[in-house]
Amino acid sequence: NTYKVTDVPLPFKYAAVALFLPIWKWFYYAPNTYKELKTSEWVKSGRELPEGYDPQAAVTVASMLDPSRSGIRKVVKPSELFFDVLGP
């Protein structure tokens, strides 16, 4: 959405897409898949999801580094994401 609403020249938009392409799975897909797994495990164990946790919100590498997203960080621990999912 950022690229749709900003007045950035088209070549810069294509360059941004080209830079993002090789890391797409690492940056977005893997963290979201891991979030779904951890959410499912959390619910199956009978625990209530923490306050401030939005199961519909996307989890990315950047959101894991954001201290204001404490709800998601209780379910998906950043250290587990970085060392168990993204590290290998």
Side-chain angles (χ1 to χ4, degrees), residues 2 24 38 47 55 58 67 75 77:
T2 302
W24 167 254
K38 297 307 277 184
R47 296 185 282 182
V75 177
K77 294 180 177 42

Side-chain angles (χ1 to χ4, degrees), residues 28-77:
Y28 181 81
Y29 189 72
N32 273 309
T33 302
Y34 190 64
K35 176 201 79 160
E36 293 299 327
L37 171 69
K38 297 307 277 184
T39 301
S40 175
E41 289 174 354
W42 190 283
V43 171
K44 282 182 184 178
S45 71
R47 296 185 282 182
E48 272 190 43
L49 294 172
E51 186 176 331
Y53 176 76
D54 180 7
Q56 301 300 320
V59 173
T60 62
V61 172
S63 68
M64 284 285 93
L65 300 173
D66 183 0
S68 68
R69 307 262 323 253
S70 62
I72 189 64
R73 294 177 74 169
K74 289 178 184 172
V75 177
V76 180
K77 294 180 177 42

